[in-house]
Amino acid sequence: MYLFGKITVTAVIPNELSKLKDIAFNLWWSWNSDAIDLYREIDLALWEKLGKNPVRFLKEVSQKKLEAKVNDPDYMQKYEDVVKKYESYMEETDTWFNRNFPDKKDHMVAYFSAEYGLNEVLPVYSGGLGVLSGDHCKSASDLGIPFTAIGLFYKQGYFSQHINGDGWQETIFTDLNTSNLPVKPTLDQDGNQLTIEVELPGRIVFARVWHVQIGRIKLYLMDTDHEHNSHHDRALTSRLYGGDQETRIQQEIFLGIGGSRVLDALGIKPTVFHMNEGHSSFLGLELIRKLVQNEKLPFNQAKEVIASSVVFTTHTPVPAGNDVFPLDMIDRYFSHYWPSLGVSRHEFLDLGLKIGDHQNFNMTVLALSLSGQKNGVSELHGAVSRNIFKNVWPGIPEKEIPIGHVTNGIHTLTWLSPTIKYLYDKHLDNDWQEKLYDRNTWDKVDDIPDEDLWKSHCVLKTKMIGFLREKIKEQRIANNESIEKVKEVDTLLDSNALTIGFARRFATYKRANLIFRDVARIQKILNNPQRPVQIIFAGKAHPADGPAHEIIKHINDISKQEGFHGKVILIENYNMTIARNLVQGVDIWLNNPRRPLEASGTSGQKVCINGIINFSVLDGWWCEGYNRKNGWAIGDETLYDNEYHQDNADSESIYNTLEKQIVPAFFERNDKGIPEKWVEIMKESIKSNTGLFSTHRMVQDYTNKYYITSMNRVEKQISSNFKYASELSNWKQHVEKEWPQVDIIPDKEVTQLNNKNFISGETIPIHATVKLGSLEPSNIKVQVYYGDIGNENAIENPHIVDMQLEEKISDNTYRYTAKITLYEGGEYGYTFRVIPSHPDLMSPFDLPLIRWAVQ
């Protein structure tokens, strides 16, 4: 073998096209199809070959082809139009945020997430959480939110998936070439790449800082591949969700504590910190530490200050989904740290201990302890979260636990097909993109001719099939299958068949193989020659999730069996490219998680905007999206104790709905070959869900419900020089100390209420006597709590009425009164309770104390 050297030749971009490089390094291009077209039209083959990566494309494109475009008037006009659009976007100040909150433009939201799914060219994401984070950033940019994002730079990404000839998933890690990515080093004041440091047991670990431009906002990423680190530490941030618990806690320390230090080094002073899932929970500790050390605040006062700033979003649908670390590990990593907070080991551990589990430090509990505002990611998930974490607020009724919800959405233009976008541009109002979160924007979808919508869908379906055939060929060649098997791919997938898509993480609760529970029945559905049906699967299993690997193997085996071959397709290496093709090209989207374990789910939202119909379990977002006219539901809202019975019921629902409703609706055509009923459902899917489940609506909800609330409180903190928080913290400590003295003595006459007759609508006086000890009546609320008597002899569907102070009976005893009116006949239960009350509490149970009337 002879020696050789490498010569790298990079095309020189003509001055006339210089903005191509600027746009390539701003992911704004990823949701603007006309910008993408600028690169495609220069050299389509190279664009596809390089994975639609504009940064790499500009390095490898032919100089002659660039120069040819300079001399192409039509191309140059498109170029000028896109540049004008880009510059106008970047310079725009009349944004939604500035119009609605002109006095808040000097604030900043810092958003922390372990992964970001922005585009396939930057694979630092694993699935839905990352894609949601990426879409959140894009909408924050579009809406003009003052917003900075923080994450980790995984130079090996998540992993590439190969499904071998036996049907088993194989995981492949490859190093990303940073020079080919839309990332740039973040420079310090001396022009050197910014470096931050974090203390880990026995050593200091350094991280370089990079940034990604996402429209108007920046995402900063930390990377420990630094020459001053050991070989082990250099690989610390190399893989997303890789390694053992040691790697996990170290990554999460960098995300939370290191992320805060990145902001400090850049001089960015956020007023709101949004923790997206519990991975970044150590952030709250670092924010408190800085106040304790720099402002000399006691821990409780510093914690009160930070609570005003921190918003926490949980995505966890099951208790086992929370990150937990054994206490001995917390000791090793934080024994040097808690003294800087001014707390003992016991006080530190209490922040992350869940009642009933005293062996593990729970990152979600830590986030709940430190954040003033918290939410789940759908209405149902908010309720599930209140149930999972009710022990954090002992004695508080589950419905009143202070975990709200903001239902997830998707960034519309990222997932919208240009083909469907053309129809929207033609038939909707000219400013539909600026008002895509407004439901009324989508009413004009009815103006799109059925034939145009259907033809556009068929074009996208044919395009998807061509794309998938190429992927399947690559799979078969990689598995050394015969030339006949490779050639067979050209006839796989029927563009006239009803095509079902199922693509998502292959976690077991998502039940990817549920549709094969009755093999004979689904085989019959798939093989009706007059009404053919086919199913496309895609998804990765976590490398350590053995049962999920078994599901992939099961589906692969079925796809090779007689009666399923060519009807069931399993695509390897699911990523955003494959997702985009599927959510734009299938006919119906199948989603059958085990209810209520789907926190939200967003893949079904991506299909709505493209006119594709959902067929889903009533879980996550679909509980809110389904209106009986815009798709189909699997099963009902029954909660099962037995998984076997649940699987039987849901699979039966799948078969019945396919046989009796979905398949007939798809194949029933008019004289033009248009499935009129199907297209009607397509239009309803677009109209009812596109605006409601956009991240524009979602980010507006976060802003209106949480960000502005935090900004207002921070303004009070700053203007009072922390006196606002100090007084509230001292008040809480006083109330908590005196709370054991609080007692309720129900009025003896009123306890005979159930033995008296009252007429419907009659006003009923109720009294209670309360002992407050050294607390003042202004510190508390006394409430009557009444409602239906449930099966377990408890009050259900309660009503809560504040009672009025009637008289002071003695030094610490007070009589309260209230009037209630009952309009429906029947028996009702009632009781009394006392809760703390202060005008500056972020929620009624910000201080989680309650006293009920007891015997």
Side-chain angles (χ1 to χ4, degrees), residues 507-638:
T508 52
Y509 78 86
K510 293 179 182 285
R511 299 188 296 179
N513 55 351
L514 180 65
I515 199 168
F516 301 115
R517 193 165 181 81
D518 185 335
V519 173
R521 193 163 176 188
I522 188 59
Q523 183 177 14
K524 183 178 179 181
I525 292 170
L526 296 177
N527 287 282
N528 183 332
Q530 281 73 45
R531 294 178 168 183
V533 179
Q534 56 198 8
I535 313 174
I536 300 166
F537 289 93
K540 294 179 179 180
H542 188 279
D545 189 350
H549 287 242
E550 294 282 353
I551 292 175
I552 291 174
K553 165 71 169 168
H554 182 212
I555 293 173
N556 184 78
D557 290 348
I558 285 178
S559 72
K560 295 181 178 181
Q561 294 176 10
E562 184 177 352
F564 294 100
H565 181 68
K567 296 284 188 177
V568 175
I569 304 295
L570 179 59
I571 305 296
E572 70 179 12
N573 204 29
Y574 183 49
N575 59 19
M576 289 179 74
T577 304
I578 293 172
R580 192 174 291 106
N581 278 272
L582 293 178
V583 301
Q584 294 174 3
V586 300
D587 296 308
I588 194 160
W589 196 252
L590 178 64
N591 184 36
N592 44 238
R594 190 179 303 286
R595 189 178 193 273
L597 303 185
E598 185 82 286
S600 172
T602 56
S603 62
Q605 298 169 352
K606 298 176 179 77
V607 304
C608 295
I609 63 175
N610 292 295
I612 292 166
I613 301 170
N614 276 280
F615 179 33
S616 176
V617 165
L618 289 168
D619 199 5
W621 79 277
W622 191 232
C623 295
E624 301 163 53
Y626 177 57
N627 68 5
R628 300 184 179 276
K629 299 182 295 181
N630 59 1
W632 287 276
I634 296 171
D636 52 30
E637 296 182 345
T638 301

Side-chain angles (χ1 to χ4, degrees), residues 198-218:
V198 170
E199 184 177 353
L200 295 180
R203 65 203 192 276
I204 300 293
V205 181
F206 300 88
R208 288 191 175 93
V209 182
W210 306 77
H211 67 267
V212 181
Q213 193 72 40
I214 310 166
R216 303 182 182 107
I217 73 165
K218 281 186 171 68

Side-chain angles (χ1 to χ4, degrees), residues 38 51 76 116 120 195 218 245 247 260 273 275 347 354 363 397 487 555 567 601 618 708 774 802 818 852:
L38 291 182
M76 291 306 297
Y116 290 88
E120 48 269 44
T195 298
K218 281 186 171 68
Q245 271 199 314
T247 301
S260 174
F273 296 86
M275 301 189 302
E347 291 169 317
K354 186 177 181 181
M363 293 295 283
K487 287 182 177 180
I555 293 173
K567 296 284 188 177
L618 289 168
I708 297 301
S774 59
D802 290 343
W852 293 94

Side-chain angles (χ1 to χ4, degrees), residues 114 152 154 198-201 203 205 222 224 232-233 236-237 239-259 278-283 285 323-338 348-349 360-363 366:
L152 300 177
Y154 309 102
V198 170
E199 184 177 353
L200 295 180
R203 65 203 192 276
V205 181
M222 290 165 283
T224 61
H232 176 270
D233 288 336
L236 177 57
T237 57
R239 297 179 181 179
L240 171 61
Y241 303 146
D244 54 15
Q245 271 199 314
E246 295 283 346
T247 301
R248 189 69 167 245
I249 194 171
Q250 290 170 16
Q251 287 187 347
E252 296 188 2
I253 287 171
F254 258 97
L255 179 60
I257 296 176
H279 309 114
S280 60
S281 299
F282 294 134
L283 164 68
L285 298 175
D323 269 348
V324 296
F325 299 109
L327 298 190
D328 65 321
M329 183 178 286
I330 296 297
D331 284 337
R332 280 193 290 112
Y333 281 91
F334 286 95
S335 59
H336 72 283
Y337 192 89
W338 59 64
F348 183 90
L349 294 178
N360 293 294
F361 191 85
N362 187 305
M363 293 295 283
L366 176 63

Side-chain angles (χ1 to χ4, degrees), residues 701-713:
D701 283 355
Y702 275 113
T703 302
N704 290 320
K705 293 176 69 172
Y706 300 132
Y707 295 167
I708 297 301
T709 299
S710 286
M711 290 175 186
N712 287 334
R713 289 179 72 90

